[in-house]
Amino acid sequence: MSNASDRRALIERLRTRFGERTVVTDAAAIEPWLTDWRGRWHGAAEAMLQPSTTDEVAAIVRSAAQAGVALVPQGGNTSMVGGATPPEDGSALLLSLRRMNRIREIDDDHAVAEAGVILADLHQSAGERGARFPLTLGSRGSCTIGGLTAANAGGTQVLRFGTMRSLVLGIEAVLADGSVHNGLRPLKKDNRGYDLDGLLVGSEGTLGIITAVNLRLVPAVRERAVAWVGVDDPQDALDLLRGMQRETTAVEAFEILPEDSLQRVLHHIPGTRPPLPGNHRWHVLVEAVAAPRDAAAPDLLLQQLLERAIAAGIVRDAVIAANERQAEAFWRIRDSISEAERASGPAAQHDISVPVDAMPRFMIEAAAAVEQAFQGTQASGFGHLGDGNVHFHVRAPQDRGAEWIRNEAPAAIRLVHDLVTAEGGSISAEHGIGQMKKEELLRTAPAARIQALRAIKHALDPCGLMNPGKLID
Ligand code: FAD
């Protein structure tokens, strides 16, 4: 841990070299970036460094390494696991990449975006060229390319295009000693040993600072169809997906939510309306798309597939959005679930995956097991059924909110993670480990995985100065 005088001397040196725009010490300007999105962790940092070029990042990392001062990289600060919040003791400095927000190069099939480019801005730039970056999530207006890459984020299009890992063609990053790894030029074949770019994807800022990423683009969507579907249970939802996937590759998103999640959104998010008349125990949002050269019209395709599923008794009711406005309204419901859940009271939240075919049974059995073990709680999962990944929330008993979270939630979390582990699943499907799941990772992961993670961390960051206290020590 750095001492205060080393830190202050470092801040002074950096301020003399880079100026006040790059080295922010005004406490009021730093304050909003010291708390995580969920408001669970609050850190301290005497300075927030905001470099605007890779050379500046390299110089900062080199100086910090010499002074033994830790750095916490931060993009949009939308981490769900406290990954970008500095330690409470003020021993680290914040390194914001938000000023590195240029798109250096963009073509029909790839874009080189700096770490601070906001996802929605990349979507727009790609769209202007008739292309698209096929990854999206609820935080797209704030989250950055660097944060998405460091978290190996997923979202609602993983079904067809995979997570960030499958969209990253190459990475430029400053390593812990200040040296620059330039992997931006995409090589289809490169067998010079370990995959350094691959290690940086999902490294949560613990191995180096990502400064730019070469990303795969795909053709823009010519037309999309978005349907809202009512089903009886998650198994019917998965049968619907499997049936659709047998017929077409046009299905890009397939999101499940229980009736109670829908009700929370309708209650807390202004302007939202139920897409279907009547109540259904479970709901599915499906999106099918056509690219410019695809022949099929996605709405006709969806209509046919849904009619068949209704006839087979898998689907209770369905509606296809009549226009873009309605399609957006359906998506707004899905994208607002996290916000509505946050507004509706304390809950123990899990971001878990199990093999896709096991997920419908898991969702029902795990909810029943948790509600039985923790009387008065209410448990359910929503999200990316087709990826075998749901966000599984255990809501505190109504009259015991904060007290339950303090005293009983840790045991409920362990129970959920034990059930996941018994299914051969993962306790972090897409949000990462951050500070939230460090202990649970140690408790549930096989020894071989933990040893390998530690060895990699030690090899690339021997002094532990890259995002200390996150992922693995
Ligand atoms: P930050 O929160 O700033 O940082 C995330 C992690 O990356 C931290 O460990 C940080 O230290 C590190 N980091 C940031 N920038 C760099 C860099 N340049 N170099 C090295 N390390 C860096 N996630 C999903 O996967 N799927 C979802 O569907 C999803 N939905 C969300 C919905 C909402 C409403 C919100 C608020 C969040 C959601 N998230 C989701 C989580 C979050 O948006 C993603 O993890 C996102 O990738 C974080 O990007 P960021 O720029 O905000 O990164």
Side-chain angles (χ1 to χ4, degrees), residues 83 121 142 188 304 330 444:
D121 293 339
S142 322
K188 203 153 187 174
Q304 248 177 30
F330 290 180
T444 57

Side-chain angles (χ1 to χ4, degrees), residues 63 78 115 125 138 170 314 334-335 337 341 382 409 417 428 453 470:
S63 303
T78 64
S125 297
I314 294 171
R334 165 62 188 95
D335 286 339
I337 300 177
E341 292 274 344
F382 66 90
H417 288 166
S428 178
L453 290 180
K470 317 292 164 38

Side-chain angles (χ1 to χ4, degrees), residues 37 72-80 82-84 97-98 115 136-139 142-156 203-206 208-211 334-335 338-339 384 391 430-431 434 467 470:
W37 187 83
V72 176
Q74 191 181 74
N77 197 26
T78 64
S79 167
M80 290 281 198
L97 278 298
R98 289 182 291 276
T136 193
L137 31 76
S139 55
S142 322
C143 68
T144 63
I145 296 305
L148 290 160
T149 307
N152 185 26
T156 48
S203 60
E204 302 189 32
T206 63
I209 313 296
I210 295 165
T211 48
R334 165 62 188 95
D335 286 339
S338 297
E339 209 180 316
H384 323 299
H391 305 303
E430 57 176 12
H431 292 161
N467 208 7
K470 317 292 164 38

